[in-house]
């Protein structure tokens, strides 16, 4: 900031124009423009936190003028500047109390509320996603979860966008080790995709919905293997999911199974059988095979690889001298499953 320029004096001078005087109406539009100019000047002087305060003053002026789009724009700019200030504090390792981040969250929430009142849910959902992605990148998935959930609620009329936001919610729950909550979200996603993605004259799902159902099915199976619920505590829909891979074959006409490739179905069936019998030669064999195929099918999602790593350490080991190897093959998949003698 330039020392010879009194930015605080300029701010006070503009604010004084908004005071009510006898027989004189304040020029709110002029004050709003001057606050915006001062905010741009402070941003160029690398003072984002002070520029954010000027944007907040501009938003109050736009609210007085009943200009909702201008108010939402000013609030969004203030949130962006406060986030920039928070990034500067983190990069410089400055002692702080997350005051800039808190101010940015409040500005985002206010802008979302304004846009929702103006019946612009798409823009409101975009702001929620933007803030959620930032919080997640800062290592705060628990706080980002609520913003992703709000974005999904705002995008309910757009099923694909809603499913993408719910997928982010499930990822955050997995990062915070809330596996049961993630399983509930994934089940909701699968039902929503089957409901909104069915073709009128065909039992099959549209391409994007089919990929979503496949991703949800894979992640749900891995989560169930990680949680290992008892028969008394397992929910009926989750029990039906496990039964698909215990008794059914690739030719069965189940909607979720029809979205999976034959290799993926056989792999998941091997995972379910191996974890049910809890007899494996080495967990790394199963994990390496699963990581390969899951990574090929879901290259943009890391949820499954995280679950597989945690599942690997949960699989109990057995004494190699007390087991015998039985190869289970299916096309190009070969998985060594041990069975007790």
């Amino acid at each position: 900031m330039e020392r010879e320029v009194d930015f605080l004096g300029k701010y006070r001078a503009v604010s004084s124009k908004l005071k009510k005087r006898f027989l004189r109406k304040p020029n709110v539009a002029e004050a709003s423009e001057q606050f915006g100019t001062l905010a741009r000047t402070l941003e160029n002087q690398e003072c984002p936190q002070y520029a954010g305060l000027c944007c907040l003053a501009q938003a109050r002026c736009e609210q007085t003028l009943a200009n909702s789009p201008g108010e939402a724009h000013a609030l969004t700019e203030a949130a962006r500047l406060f986030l920039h200030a928070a990034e500067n504090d983190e990069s410089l390792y400055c002692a702080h109390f997350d005051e800039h981040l808190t101010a940015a969250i409040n500005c985002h929430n206010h802008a979302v509320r304004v846009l929702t009142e103006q019946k612009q849910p798409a823009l409101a959902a975009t702001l929620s996603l933007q803030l959620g992605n930032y919080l997640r990148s800062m290592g705060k998935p628990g706080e980002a979860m609520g913003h992703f959930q709000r974005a999904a609620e705002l995008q309910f009329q757009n099923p694909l966008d809603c499913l993408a936001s719910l997928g982010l919610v499930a990822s955050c729950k997995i990062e915070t080790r809330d596996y049961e909550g993630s399983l509930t979200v994934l089940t909701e996603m699968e039902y929503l995709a089957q409901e909104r993605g069915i073709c009128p004259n065909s039992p099959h799902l549209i391409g994007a919905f089919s990929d979503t159902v496949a991703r949800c099915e894979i992640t749900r199976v891995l989560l169930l293997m990680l949680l290992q619920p008892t028969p008394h505590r397992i929910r009926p829909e989750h029990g039906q999911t496990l039964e698909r891979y215990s008794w059914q074959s690739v030719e069965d006409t189940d909607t979720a199974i029809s979205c999976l490739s034959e290799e993926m179905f056989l792999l998941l069936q091997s995972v379910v059988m191996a974890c049910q019998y809890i007899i494996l030669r080495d967990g790394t064999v199963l994990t390496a095979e699963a990581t390969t195929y899951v990574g090929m099918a879901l290259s943009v999602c890391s949820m499954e690889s995280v679950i597989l790593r945690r599942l690997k350490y949960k699989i109990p080991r057995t004494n190699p001298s007390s087991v015998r190897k039985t190869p289970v093959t299916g096309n190009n998949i070969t998985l060594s499953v041990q069975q007790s003698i």
Side-chain angles (χ1 to χ4, degrees):
M1 181 183 292
E2 298 179 359
R3 295 183 178 180
E4 62 274 11
V5 181
D6 185 11
F7 292 102
L8 182 58
K10 289 184 177 182
Y11 183 89
R12 289 175 176 173
V14 178
S15 299
S16 63
K17 296 180 181 180
L18 298 175
K19 294 181 179 179
K20 294 181 180 180
R21 293 179 173 86
F22 182 69
L23 296 178
R24 189 175 180 181
K25 186 177 181 181
N27 192 344
V28 182
E30 181 183 358
S32 175
E33 183 178 354
Q34 291 178 354
F35 277 128
T37 303
L38 183 59
R40 288 189 292 271
T41 304
L42 287 169
E43 184 180 5
N44 293 333
Q45 295 295 327
E46 297 183 357
C47 300
Q49 62 274 25
Y50 299 127
L53 292 175
C54 293
C55 287
L56 281 179
Q58 184 183 9
R60 288 192 293 270
C61 293
E62 297 296 338
Q63 184 182 17
T64 304
L65 296 172
N67 182 13
S68 297
E71 181 185 1
H73 175 72
L75 289 170
T76 304
E77 283 297 310
R80 181 183 64 83
L81 292 168
F82 283 129
L83 288 178
H84 188 195
E87 290 177 355
N88 291 341
D89 290 344
E90 290 291 338
S91 61
L92 296 175
Y93 297 99
C94 294
H96 57 87
F97 298 97
D98 288 335
E99 64 275 7
H100 298 320
L101 181 59
T102 302
I105 292 174
N106 292 333
C107 291
H108 263 287
N109 292 337
H110 193 178
V112 168
R113 185 166 61 254
V114 171
L115 291 172
T116 303
E117 292 175 355
Q118 293 299 312
K119 298 183 180 180
Q120 295 181 346
L123 292 177
T126 301
L127 290 180
S128 296
L129 288 173
Q130 180 182 0
L131 181 58
N133 288 325
Y134 177 83
L135 292 173
R136 190 179 180 187
S137 65
M138 295 293 290
K140 299 180 179 181
E143 298 181 15
M145 195 186 310
H147 299 284
F148 288 140
Q149 183 67 42
R150 181 169 57 181
E153 295 172 357
L154 293 170
Q155 295 170 331
F156 185 76
Q157 298 298 329
N158 302 315
L160 288 178
D161 295 336
C162 179
L163 289 171
S165 300
L166 288 176
L168 294 173
V169 175
S171 299
C172 290
K173 287 183 177 293
I174 290 176
E175 292 180 13
T176 56
R177 296 181 180 270
D178 183 10
Y179 301 128
E180 294 185 358
S182 177
L183 190 60
T184 302
V185 174
L186 290 168
T187 304
E188 179 185 353
M189 288 177 59
E190 187 168 334
Y191 287 158
L192 178 61
Q194 292 179 5
E195 178 185 354
R196 305 291 290 274
I198 195 70
C199 294
N201 301 324
S202 174
H204 301 289
L205 299 176
I206 304 174
F209 293 97
S210 177
D211 296 340
T212 301
V213 170
R215 179 185 293 111
C216 293
E217 185 73 6
I218 294 169
T219 312
R220 288 176 66 223
V221 171
L222 296 178
L223 283 173
L224 287 171
M225 293 300 96
L226 184 62
L227 291 172
Q228 295 181 359
T230 60
H232 301 287
R233 295 184 58 185
I234 191 170
R235 296 171 60 178
E237 57 269 23
H238 298 159
Q240 294 174 1
T241 300
L242 295 180
E243 289 178 0
R244 296 172 189 168
Y245 302 94
S246 300
W247 305 102
Q248 293 185 345
S249 61
V250 186
E251 290 77 14
D252 287 320
T253 58
D254 188 271
T255 303
I257 291 180
S258 63
C259 297
L260 300 173
S261 62
E262 183 178 357
E263 290 83 4
M264 185 61 72
F265 172 81
L266 292 174
L267 179 62
L268 289 177
Q269 192 175 50
S270 301
V271 171
V272 173
M273 294 173 61
C275 290
Q276 284 179 344
Y277 289 107
I278 319 180
I279 308 279
L280 287 177
R281 175 170 58 90
D282 188 0
T284 58
V285 177
L286 176 62
T287 303
E289 197 76 21
T291 303
T292 301
Y293 282 93
V294 171
M296 290 172 58
L298 303 169
S299 58
V300 297
C301 184
S302 60
M303 288 191 298
E304 289 75 15
S305 59
V306 173
I307 301 172
L308 285 168
R309 286 198 301 267
R310 295 173 183 175
L311 179 61
K312 169 185 173 181
Y313 295 105
K314 194 169 183 179
I315 296 175
R317 301 294 192 266
T318 56
N319 186 0
S321 60
S322 63
V323 298
R324 59 184 177 85
K325 303 174 186 177
T326 302
V328 179
T329 61
N331 287 353
N332 295 329
I333 299 178
T334 303
L335 183 65
S336 296
V337 181
Q338 294 184 338
Q339 300 177 348
S340 58
I341 301 177

